[in-house]
Amino acid sequence: MVVPTSIPLPNITFKILAKVIEYCKCHFEAVADGTCRQLPIG
């Protein structure tokens, strides 16, 4: 089985990608300690 080393994300800005990563990190850490905060939209 071949595993891709990258995921193409056309038409996404750095700002949007940073928010997605922050959201994922927040929810990943929340599983461990239950301190996930709501992220502002916009």
Side-chain angles (χ1 to χ4, degrees), residues 1-35:
M1 181 172 155
V2 176
V3 178
T5 58
S6 65
I7 300 171
L9 296 172
N11 301 322
I12 186 169
T13 64
F14 175 78
K15 186 175 180 179
I16 298 294
L17 182 58
K19 282 286 185 188
V20 169
I21 292 170
E22 182 180 2
Y23 178 85
C24 291
K25 283 182 180 179
C26 176
H27 286 278
F28 175 78
E29 293 168 357
V31 171
D33 60 16
T35 61

